[in-house]
């Protein structure tokens, strides 16, 4: 893949690394490539960050034929830069694209484009503790048509943002509202795909939770509104006595890279991980009888976010006295040490950029 690089002539001022927040700043460059039925992927380029021209009848704008990914680049103690499991993101995007009738971006192409863009924008990878460069690959159909048919023209783009903690609470516990009105996914739908439409449909629940003073929602299954599925925009895991539970990947839950990594680590530590359904009634009961020891949301953006409170229809459970759990802290420390290159990566998960 020959990537043509056009560097910006007016680099932006870098933000204060101690006040990055999440997704507020974009780097100087972006990666773009185009797809059409005749040429496949072509015109690989890194150009200054800027607007992408769109026809007003572009199908992505009307029928949400769009998918995206989220991964991070980390500044290692020797000043180098590494990615965390970029192949997993590439493979997941292929699954998402199949569901949305969009062409595949081959894994090697995805990883090479990501590495090259991070290399070009390497000065944007922050080094303050807890910071990283969030990488957002996304793809959409640029084709214009108002009738509903699958398209043949697509754009794949990668943008990057230096970030700190996703939640204002950082690694402190957050409060979660269990959503009992709206649903996020149903079997046969797009719940497993990372597509914008899922997140748009989740916004009403998120807005409601925020208005009630909660950081995010916990989604229940879409058929019976009975089983615990995932947190808003990330997976949900919890410890019942000494077993770790998380919803199974049966089509309604995002197959999270952080989720998968934590399951590997937990199993290596000898924990039983139950990828099984649990009813919200049983989870609340476990909260009341004390067997729910810890809970956390996990995803690339937030890494691990301890959950200190669950509110289901006004029934409130406080988890671990609203303190981060011992196992949650150990998982966070272990995973982030690998990601930031502070501990040996015995799993072979990290990929050096430069
Ligand atoms: C991620 O964790 O990478 C996501 O895409 C979640 C999003 C809500 C920021």
């Amino acid at each position: 893949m020959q990537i043509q690089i056009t560097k910006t002539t007016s680099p932006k001022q870098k933000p204060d690394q101690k006040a990055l927040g999440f997704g507020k700043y974009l780097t100087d460059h972006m990666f773009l490539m185009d797809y059409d039925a005749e040429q496949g992927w072509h015109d690989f380029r890194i150009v200054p960050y800027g607007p992408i021209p769109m026809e007003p009848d572009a199908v992505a704008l009307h029928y949400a034929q769009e998918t995206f990914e989220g991964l991070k680049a980390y500044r290692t103690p020797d000043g180098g830069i590494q990615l965390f499991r970029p192949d997993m993101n590439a493979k997941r995007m292929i699954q998402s694209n199949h569901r949305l009738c969009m062409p595949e971006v081959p894994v090697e192409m995805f990883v090479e484009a990501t590495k090259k863009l991070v290399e070009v924008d390497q000065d944007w990878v922050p080094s303050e503790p807890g910071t990283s460069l969030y990488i957002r690959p996304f793809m959409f159909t640029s084709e214009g048509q108002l009738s509903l048919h699958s398209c043949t023209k697509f754009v794949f783009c990668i943008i990057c943002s230096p970030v700190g903690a996703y939640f204002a609470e950082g690694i402190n516990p957050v409060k979660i509202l269990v959503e009992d009105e709206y649903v996020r996914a149903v079997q046969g739908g797009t719940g497993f795909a990372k597509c914008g439409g899922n997140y748009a449909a989740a916004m009403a629940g998120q807005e409601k939770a925020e208005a009630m003073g909660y950081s995010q929602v916990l989604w229940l299954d879409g058929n019976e509104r009975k089983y615990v599925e995932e947190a808003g925009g990330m997976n949900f895991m919890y410890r019942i006595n000494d077993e770790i539970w998380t919803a199974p990947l049966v089509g309604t839950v995002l197959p999270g890279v952080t989720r998968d990594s934590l399951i590997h680590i937990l199993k290596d530590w000898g924990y039983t991980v139950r990828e099984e359904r649990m009813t919200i009634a049983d989870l609340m009961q476990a909260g009341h009888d004390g067997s729910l020891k810890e809970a956390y949301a996990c995803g690339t953006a937030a890494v691990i976010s301890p959950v200190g409170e669950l509110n289901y229809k006004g029934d409130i459970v406080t988890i671990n006295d609203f303190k981060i759990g011992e196992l949650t802290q150990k998982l966070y420390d272990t995973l982030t040490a690998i990601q930031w290159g502070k501990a040996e990566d015995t799993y072979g998960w990290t990929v050096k950029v430069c």
Side-chain angles (χ1 to χ4, degrees), residues 22 68-71 134 136 166 194 199 232-234 299-302:
F22 186 86
F68 70 98
E69 273 301 324
L71 67 161
Y134 185 75
R136 169 56 62 87
Y166 182 78
K194 204 158 174 71
Y199 294 74
M234 48 206 87
T300 297

Side-chain angles (χ1 to χ4, degrees), residues 244-284:
I244 317 305
W245 287 68
T246 193
L249 301 179
V250 290
T252 51
V253 166
L254 190 79
V257 178
T258 309
R259 174 191 183 279
D260 182 80
S261 308
L262 295 178
I263 290 174
H264 269 91
I265 293 170
L266 283 162
K267 285 185 176 168
D268 279 357
W269 289 346
Y271 282 94
T272 299
V273 180
R274 298 182 63 163
E275 293 179 65
E276 291 171 36
R277 296 175 109 192
M278 181 180 283
T279 64
I280 184 63
D282 285 348
L283 182 63
M284 295 306 282

